[in-house]
């Protein structure tokens, strides 16, 4: 049960990092190699959110793989795919076809089987 809770938290952080990344890239504008472009990106606070989420997720991941069997821990990363689907709907107003939701249900079933 502890692995599931930690995996959900780690997956939430990974998904949060991806959401922040998408927002940062939307705000970024056209890419060009210049110092002014780099300084403009420093004012984009979505990069900070992205980095914090990924940093904390990485530290949590190190804890998980140190303390749990790798064969159980690694498949739990797939929970981030499920959360990513919900994030696509909530933050980016995407419509998700039924076939993808069926895939999400299969992923969830797989996680339950792996955690047993």
């Amino acid at each position: 049960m502890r692995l599931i809770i930690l995996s959900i938290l780690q997956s939430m952080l990974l998904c949060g990092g991806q959401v922040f990344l998408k927002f940062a890239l939307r705000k970024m504008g056209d890419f060009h190699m210049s110092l002014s472009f780099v300084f403009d990106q420093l004012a984009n606070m979505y990069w900070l959110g992205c980095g914090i989420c990924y940093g904390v997720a990485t530290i949590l991941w190190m804890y998980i793989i140190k303390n749990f069997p790798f064969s159980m821990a690694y498949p739990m990363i797939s929970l981030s795919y499920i959360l990513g689907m919900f994030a696509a709907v909530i933050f980016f107003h995407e419509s998700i076809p039924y076939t993808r939701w069926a895939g999400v249900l299969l992923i969830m079933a797989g996680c339950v089987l792996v955690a047993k």
Side-chain angles (χ1 to χ4, degrees), residues 43-101:
N44 185 344
M45 296 311 289
Y46 291 119
W47 291 119
L48 178 62
C50 178
I52 289 171
C53 284
Y54 283 144
V56 175
T58 300
I59 291 167
L60 185 54
W61 177 242
M62 290 188 292
Y63 175 82
I64 289 170
I65 61 172
K66 182 178 184 336
N67 293 294
F68 295 96
F70 192 74
S71 63
M72 287 178 66
Y74 196 76
M76 299 306 263
I77 293 173
S78 62
L79 293 172
S80 63
Y81 298 128
I82 298 164
L83 296 173
M85 294 281 280
F86 288 111
V89 171
I90 294 167
F91 295 108
F92 306 114
H93 311 291
E94 296 179 12
S95 61
I96 311 294
Y98 293 114
T99 54
R100 284 191 207 141
W101 288 116

